[in-house]
Amino acid sequence: MKTPTALRALIDDGVIDEVLRPLKSGKEAAVYVVRSGDDVRCAKVYKDMAQRSFQQRVQYQEGRKVRGSREARAIGKATSYGRKQQETAWKNAEVDALYLLREAGVRVPVPYGYYHGVLVMELVTDAEGFSAPRLGEVELTAEQAREFHAVLVRQVVRMLCCGLIHGDLSPYNVLVGPDGPIVIDFPQVVSAAGNNAARQMLLRDMNNLTASLGRWAPELLDTWYGEEMWALFEAGDLLPDTALTGKFVHDERTVDVDSVREAIENARQEALIRQQGREAAAMDD
Ligand SMILES: Nc1ncnc2c1ncn2[C@@H]1O[C@H](COP(=O)(O)OP(=O)(O)O)[C@@H](O)[C@H]1O
Ligand SMILES: [Mg+2]
């Protein structure tokens, strides 16, 4: 195919040899299948920052380390310098997260570098070598759903042990490879220690996964892994392989348990409705 402008510099530098085909183009990024020597990989090109809502990003940035106070101040204010820095920080966050998480044994695509604003990484494929489907697009048996859920809980725990929360974890940011689920799409990754909204984001991430997999194995809907791992994390007792039960006793002295459960149940229902909407939209494509 004709080389997209954003990928020309990578060909000129010899990072990739050829662009084979477009894979997916969404609101935030366009992903291409590319060839580097004998390897087929994928290249994620980030769309222009101007097309995305800027203010929304600021909350995610809270707690992420930014070099130099000028940069930090600029990111806080929506100046054009701030936007430029923000864009750089945003794009690098995904690359940094992939290297860190891969190192920590989290199931994410192998990163092959970040060049001219483009992330080159492993193309996750299914058993036949086709690009892998997303978790929200496959049918599962109850047993598979339980197994995938357990694997994903473990990935979320390992991320948390690295101090990170995905922040946009949904069945559309999980690919199904021959060996099970692989988590993708990290530009909005959140620092677990420095962000006031970290707990909420973790619970939302876990709820999205639980609501989705709970369609195939309804007993999952009565598990509370997010709450459980956060309590252990806060107490400094969470390790990458800490065994979890999915049971969680809410602290009745400080919170109204029923309203908490109700709020979480509402979030699950919302996630389900959103997902069904996406599925309907995907079928229209
Ligand atoms: N490493 C990968 N291997 C296979 N497919 C991928 C990979 N990364 C992304 N994709 C596909 O491209 C889509 C968009 O990528 P993603 O990183 O989720 O960006 P965004 O959702 O912001 O557009 C994914 O839903 C998935 O279908
Ligand atoms: Mg995505």
Side-chain angles (χ1 to χ4, degrees), residues 179-233:
D179 302 321
I182 292 153
V183 183
I184 60 164
D185 202 3
F186 291 89
Q188 70 297 310
V189 72
V190 175
S191 157
N195 192 313
N196 293 328
R199 178 174 182 276
Q200 276 161 272
M201 291 197 191
L202 177 78
L203 298 188
R204 190 181 62 189
D205 280 357
M206 272 312 306
N207 277 330
N208 288 343
L209 295 178
T210 299
S212 169
L213 289 165
R215 292 169 59 209
W216 313 108
E219 69 275 20
L220 291 174
L221 296 173
D222 197 31
T223 62
W224 306 93
Y225 288 99
E227 290 79 354
E228 186 184 11
M229 69 177 84
W230 182 261
L232 290 168
F233 174 72

Side-chain angles (χ1 to χ4, degrees), residues 155-183:
Q155 308 315 299
V156 176
V157 167
R158 292 201 175 137
M159 283 186 230
L160 199 49
C161 289
C162 293
L164 297 180
I165 292 166
H166 187 290
D168 189 23
L169 199 50
S170 78
Y172 291 88
N173 283 329
V174 174
L175 300 178
V176 181
D179 302 321
I182 292 153
V183 183

Side-chain angles (χ1 to χ4, degrees), residues 44-200:
K44 181 171 177 178
V45 178
Y46 301 86
K47 298 227 165 132
D48 199 77
M49 200 62 186
Q51 294 171 12
R52 303 185 224 142
S53 73
F54 175 69
Q55 279 306 330
Q56 194 192 326
R57 305 296 174 227
V58 175
Q59 93 171 57
Y60 286 117
Q61 290 290 340
E62 196 187 322
R64 196 184 289 161
K65 282 196 211 84
V66 178
R67 262 168 268 120
S69 63
R70 175 149 185 252
E71 270 178 74
R73 274 199 309 276
I75 283 177
K77 297 184 205 148
T79 61
S80 74
Y81 177 76
R83 256 192 300 278
K84 188 103 195 61
Q85 293 307 305
Q86 170 93 11
E87 191 164 359
T88 312
W90 180 255
K91 287 170 178 175
N92 289 336
E94 173 153 43
V95 183
D96 294 348
L98 282 183
Y99 278 101
L100 180 73
L101 295 174
R102 188 80 205 173
E103 187 72 14
V106 181
R107 298 172 52 117
V108 298
V110 180
Y112 292 112
Y114 179 64
Y115 311 91
H116 304 285
V118 177
L119 163 62
V120 180
M121 65 180 147
E122 172 191 8
L123 175 72
V124 179
T125 57
D126 64 13
E128 278 83 45
F130 296 108
S131 61
R134 297 181 286 191
L135 183 61
E137 297 166 337
V138 295
E139 298 219 358
L140 300 173
T141 64
E143 197 187 330
Q144 278 172 321
R146 282 191 292 269
E147 189 193 316
F148 283 13
H149 192 264
V151 171
L152 287 167
V153 165
R154 189 52 52 195
Q155 308 315 299
V156 176
V157 167
R158 292 201 175 137
M159 283 186 230
L160 199 49
C161 289
C162 293
L164 297 180
I165 292 166
H166 187 290
D168 189 23
L169 199 50
S170 78
Y172 291 88
N173 283 329
V174 174
L175 300 178
V176 181
D179 302 321
I182 292 153
V183 183
I184 60 164
D185 202 3
F186 291 89
Q188 70 297 310
V189 72
V190 175
S191 157
N195 192 313
N196 293 328
R199 178 174 182 276
Q200 276 161 272

Side-chain angles (χ1 to χ4, degrees), residues 261-272:
R261 284 198 176 239
E262 197 182 315
I264 291 167
E265 197 45 50
N266 286 343
R268 282 183 183 178
Q269 290 300 330
E270 276 171 33
L272 205 57

